[in-house]
Amino acid sequence: MEALLAERHGPGIVVMPSKSAFYRLVEAMSEGTHAFGRVPSRRSAARRPSGAFTPSSACRRGEMVQIDTTPLDVLVVLEARVSGRPGLTIAVDVATRSICAAMLRPAGARAVDAALLLAKMLVSEPLRPGCWTRWRCRRR
């Protein structure tokens, strides 16, 4: 190693650390890579696929919206006097971390729920058909 350093940078320019310091440095830099471990662990690390998810970021409002459904830990009485757990489907803007739309459904989410959530995000409440009769107020 000293000969390689002298060849690349000139003799005496780069000082070689002691053996124990060198091995500590190599161990710290190779941690988690299995570079000096057993052959089976190196092979399994080499065959492992890259991560499934890539980090993403949004800079502008509405650039990226995440939709998720979660069952709530609440029992409610549904139609026909049957009890069940409702599911909360919510759309969250990643850039502003604000809730774009949300809905509570008696059963698990379906594709129709995602479409309805999208419609709720795009059309404001006063512009939806039947809004004024539902709230029992008049347009002024």
Side-chain angles (χ1 to χ4, degrees), residues 58-126:
C59 300
R60 295 180 305 275
R61 192 174 60 208
E63 183 178 355
M64 186 184 307
V65 176
Q66 294 179 345
I67 298 175
D68 190 24
T69 301
T70 183
L72 299 177
D73 291 333
V74 177
L75 278 177
V76 295
V77 177
L78 303 171
E79 295 175 352
R81 303 178 67 92
V82 177
S83 63
R85 292 176 60 188
L88 176 66
T89 304
I90 191 166
V92 178
D93 184 15
V94 174
T96 61
R97 294 188 174 117
S98 60
I99 297 173
C100 301
M103 57 189 284
L104 199 60
R105 298 286 297 187
R110 299 177 302 217
V112 173
D113 297 334
L116 184 61
L117 209 61
L118 183 62
K120 282 185 172 185
M121 285 179 0
L122 296 176
V123 180
S124 64
E125 182 76 26

Side-chain angles (χ1 to χ4, degrees), residues 2 5-14:
E2 289 180 45
L5 285 174
E7 181 183 316
R8 284 196 180 169
H9 303 287
I13 301 294
V14 179

